[in-house]
């Protein structure tokens, strides 16, 4: 058995540079989609419904792509065909998005964009784990996080820069301004170019080489945990109860999606069970259900952390623009110059927290994790994020919001690096793709909950006061830090084993 070669700084750069482009696309989406929807005439309480497309596509796409990327060997490699195809499709969506003639077209493009970005992103996570030795996982994901932060800075700040260069930042009678339109076009080109850089400057290990490293053993990665012992009916009952409550209390219709997803999960388990009884276990559904049931304990504990963490982040992406426009710039008129100025400043704020993340990923995370461990590092960083969200309640000067973003940026750096470094060092390498895809479920589910529930909460309790969404974000980020204590205990057990 041999060892994977140690990657130089140039090697780490090439492995992750494609994520620079992918994150430009995500940043443009996160900072501008609420603005585009509102510019096309959508109301504040409906924004979360339109954002359902993004997490729902991730929920479906990432486990499937992870499953197949574990089993793909082509002349282009194992993971590269997927993130190249995803980049091309995402580039097309970015070019089409700002030309949306109506809400329905913008929502459709958001669905296509997010699906394509997920097709690219999941294999990239596994790609870094494939190519690196275990002692370089933290460094590898830290470099990836730095590129994510840098790409997000570029994507977030571009409309602001264009406005200062004299490009029109508002459109007579409403509509998507030129600053946003040109930014999306630039982002599409940059995304494809960055991914092509990684495709042409790297090579993937062959199946034989992976076997020599001890990461693959013949076709053992095709073995799937049997789903025969899975129980059925619990989630169907919970889902049915949700549907009854929504119908009886006449709640928002988007909550029907939550009940339907719970029932669908039970249906997938039952279908996998029936196929297993007939001897058919070598299919994508059985593999995904079986691997989900057989997740390692440390991954299950990290799942709860991810649930709280990404609930806070999704609240931030949806509601920061309305919050800043109303409480800092004093307007709720989406056609006003003040609203668009606030929207541009949110782009700057998002650029700042991503820039902080890029610096923290290289300057803070590796040193801090060596000193206090990965789990404790993540706890400290999550608490910085909770403080950043809470500060929105007391800050009314746009410049002082930079301090809020510094705390959020430190948390963001850790969110993008520490959980994946912990997983990559703890999971079987032969199933890294499927487990990274399944891990995304715990990013997507909280986003779906926020998208389906937060609109109803806002409408019922504070229809004109979106600032309270930041209270939710601060609270759940603090809960994520608390949940990391269980991960720290599991990490200690692994080190002692």
């Amino acid at each position: 058995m041999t060892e994977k070669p140690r990657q130089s700084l140039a090697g780490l750069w090439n492995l992750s540079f494609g994520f620079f482009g992918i994150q430009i696309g995500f940043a443009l989406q996160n900072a501008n989609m609420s603005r585009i929807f509102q510019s096309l005439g959508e109301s504040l309480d409906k924004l979360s419904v339109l954002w359902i497309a993004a997490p729902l596509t991730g929920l479906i796409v990432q486990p499937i792509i992870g499953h197949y990327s574990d089993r793909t060997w082509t002349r282009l490699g194992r993971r590269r065909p997927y993130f190249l195809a995803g980049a091309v499709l995402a580039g097309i969506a970015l070019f089409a998005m700002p030309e949306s003639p109506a809400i329905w077209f913008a929502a459709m493009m958001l669905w296509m964009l997010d699906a394509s970005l997920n097709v690219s992103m999941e294999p990239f996570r596994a790609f870094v784990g494939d190519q690196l030795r275990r002692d370089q996982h933290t460094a590898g994901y830290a470099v990836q996080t730095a590129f994510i932060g840098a790409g997000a800075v570029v994507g977030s700040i571009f409309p602001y820069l264009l406005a200062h260069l004299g490009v029109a930042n508002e459109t007579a009678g409403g509509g998507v301004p030129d600053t946003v339109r040109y930014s999306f076009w630039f982002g599409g080109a940059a995304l494809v170019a960055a991914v092509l850089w990684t495709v042409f400057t790297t090579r993937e290990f062959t199946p034989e080489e992976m076997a020599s490293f001890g990461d693959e053993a013949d076709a053992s990665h095709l073995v799937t945990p049997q789903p025969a012992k899975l129980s059925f009916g619990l989630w169907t009952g919970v889902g049915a109860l949700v549907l009854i409550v929504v119908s009886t209390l006449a709640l928002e219709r988007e909550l029907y999606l939550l009940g339907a997803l719970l029932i669908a999960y039970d249906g997938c388990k039952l279908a996998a069970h029936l196929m297993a009884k007939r001897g058919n276990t070598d299919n994508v559904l059985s593999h995904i259900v079986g691997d989900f049931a057989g997740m390692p304990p440390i991954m299950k504990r990290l799942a709860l952390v991810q649930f709280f963490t990404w609930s806070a982040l999704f609240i931030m992406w949806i509601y920061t623009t309305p919050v800043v426009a109303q409480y800092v710039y004093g307007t709720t008129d989406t056609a006003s110059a003040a609203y668009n100025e606030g929207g541009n400043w949110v782009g700057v704020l998002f650029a700042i927290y991503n820039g902080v993340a890029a610096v923290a990923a290289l300057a803070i995370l590796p040193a801090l994790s060596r000193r206090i461990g990965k789990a404790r590092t993540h706890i400290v960083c999550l608490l910085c994020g909770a403080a950043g969200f809470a500060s929105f309640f007391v800050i009314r000067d746009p410049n002082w919001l930079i301090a809020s973003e510094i705390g959020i940026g430190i948390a963001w750096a850790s969110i993008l690096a520490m959980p994946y470094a912990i997983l990559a060092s703890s999971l079987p390498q032969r199933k890294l793709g499927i487990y990274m895809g399944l891990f995304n479920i715990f990013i997507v589910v909280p986003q779906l909950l926020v998208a389906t529930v937060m609109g109803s909460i806002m409408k019922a309790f504070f229809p004109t006061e979106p600032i309270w969404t930041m209270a939710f974000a601060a609270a759940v980020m603090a809960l994520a830090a608390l949940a990391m204590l269980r991960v720290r205990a599991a990490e200690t057990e692994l080190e002692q084993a």
Side-chain angles (χ1 to χ4, degrees):
M1 187 178 297
T2 60
E3 192 173 29
K4 291 178 183 176
R6 187 173 185 84
Q7 291 284 349
S8 65
L9 179 59
L12 295 175
W13 173 291
N14 292 335
L15 287 176
S16 293
F17 187 72
F19 238 114
F20 173 72
I22 291 172
Q23 198 59 34
I24 288 176
F26 269 119
L28 287 168
Q29 171 186 297
N30 292 339
N32 294 284
M33 282 314 303
S34 288
R35 180 180 182 180
I36 290 174
F37 287 141
Q38 287 190 293
S39 295
L40 293 173
E42 193 55 270
S43 62
L44 177 65
D45 63 302
K46 295 295 184 182
L47 289 181
S48 60
V49 182
L50 293 169
W51 276 79
I52 287 176
L56 186 59
T57 51
L59 180 67
I60 297 170
V61 167
Q62 287 218 22
I64 295 174
I65 295 299
H67 167 84
Y68 283 112
S69 72
D70 279 341
R71 291 157 175 76
T72 296
W73 295 102
T74 70
R75 293 179 62 184
L76 192 58
R78 184 186 200 182
R79 315 289 185 185
R80 290 183 296 175
Y82 291 95
F83 52 72
L84 177 58
V88 172
L89 292 173
I92 293 171
L94 284 168
F95 273 91
M97 180 78 73
E99 298 302 312
S100 299
I103 291 290
W104 67 267
F105 187 87
M108 186 175 69
M109 286 298 99
L110 175 60
W111 195 298
M112 176 179 171
L113 174 61
D114 204 80
S116 303
L117 291 173
N118 275 287
V119 168
S120 289
M121 184 175 67
E122 193 286 327
F124 245 117
R125 295 285 193 198
F127 179 65
V128 172
D130 288 342
Q131 302 300 108
L132 296 179
R133 299 151 39 129
R134 292 179 186 272
D135 62 357
Q136 283 197 294
H137 281 159
T138 298
Y141 286 108
V143 171
Q144 188 177 92
T145 297
F147 275 124
I148 291 172
V153 168
V154 173
S156 298
I157 205 170
F158 209 70
Y160 179 85
L161 293 178
L162 288 177
H164 279 262
L165 291 174
V167 178
N169 193 43
E170 50 189 298
T171 304
V176 180
D178 286 344
T179 51
V180 174
R181 178 177 290 107
Y182 297 159
S183 295
F184 272 63
W185 294 346
F186 162 80
L191 191 160
V192 175
V195 170
L196 284 174
W197 176 280
T198 291
V199 168
F200 289 120
T201 60
T202 60
R203 63 172 291 271
E204 296 188 63
F205 296 120
T206 66
E208 293 75 21
E209 287 173 318
M210 294 294 282
S212 72
F213 301 142
D215 291 343
E216 304 284 350
D218 301 322
S220 60
H221 63 293
L222 299 177
V223 177
T224 301
Q226 289 293 327
K229 296 183 179 180
L230 295 176
S231 59
F232 311 107
L234 173 62
W235 295 111
T236 297
V238 175
L241 180 61
V242 170
L243 296 179
I244 292 170
V245 170
V246 172
S247 178
T248 303
L249 300 180
L251 300 178
E252 294 294 320
R253 287 181 297 175
E254 59 265 25
L255 289 171
Y256 283 116
L257 176 62
L258 179 59
L261 286 173
L262 293 171
I263 296 172
Y265 173 63
D266 244 2
C268 290
K269 291 198 300 180
L270 180 59
H273 173 72
L274 294 176
M275 285 189 287
K277 289 185 67 176
R278 298 189 183 99
N280 180 14
T281 59
D282 191 13
N283 59 79
V284 62
L285 182 62
S286 293
H287 280 287
I288 290 174
V289 171
D291 286 323
F292 187 78
M295 285 188 301
I298 196 167
M299 184 172 170
K300 294 178 181 178
R301 296 185 183 187
L302 272 170
L304 184 62
V305 178
Q306 294 291 87
F307 176 85
F308 291 129
T309 299
W310 286 86
S311 295
L313 292 172
F314 205 59
I315 290 170
M316 175 184 72
W317 291 329
I318 295 176
Y319 292 107
T320 299
T321 295
V323 167
V324 171
Q326 180 172 337
Y327 295 91
V328 179
Y329 286 84
T331 183
T332 58
D333 180 6
T334 60
S336 67
Y339 178 89
N340 282 288
E341 186 179 354
N344 282 349
W345 186 243
V346 169
V348 175
L349 294 176
F350 281 15
I352 289 170
Y353 88 73
N354 281 289
V356 169
V359 174
L362 298 178
I364 297 177
L365 296 186
L368 192 60
S369 64
R370 284 193 299 269
R371 185 176 181 84
I372 64 175
K374 297 184 185 74
R376 282 181 174 176
T377 297
H378 199 40
I379 291 171
V380 171
C381 292
L382 290 175
L383 290 175
C384 289
F389 287 124
S391 67
F392 272 78
F393 278 85
V394 296
I395 295 176
R396 293 296 176 265
D397 184 328
N399 293 316
W400 276 104
L401 286 176
I402 294 173
S404 307
E405 299 303 319
I406 290 174
I408 294 170
I410 292 171
W412 183 231
S414 188
I415 290 163
L416 293 174
M418 287 298 113
Y420 297 99
I422 293 170
L423 281 179
S425 300
S426 308
L427 298 176
Q429 296 293 296
R430 64 183 182 273
K431 287 192 172 185
L432 199 54
I434 182 61
Y435 278 133
M436 288 293 186
L438 290 172
F439 194 56
N440 184 64
I441 291 174
F442 307 111
I443 295 174
V444 169
V445 169
Q447 294 181 51
L448 285 172
L449 284 173
V450 170
T452 55
V453 174
M454 188 56 67
S456 296
I457 293 175
M458 282 194 63
K459 191 172 183 179
F461 297 104
F462 40 91
T464 62
E465 297 292 332
I467 189 68
W468 289 100
T469 59
M470 293 300 170
F472 281 86
V476 295
M477 190 68 87
L479 287 174
L482 184 63
M484 270 303 295
L485 294 175
R486 296 179 68 244
V487 178
R488 176 173 172 262
E491 191 179 33
T492 302
E493 292 171 5
L494 284 174
E495 292 171 352
Q496 294 174 347

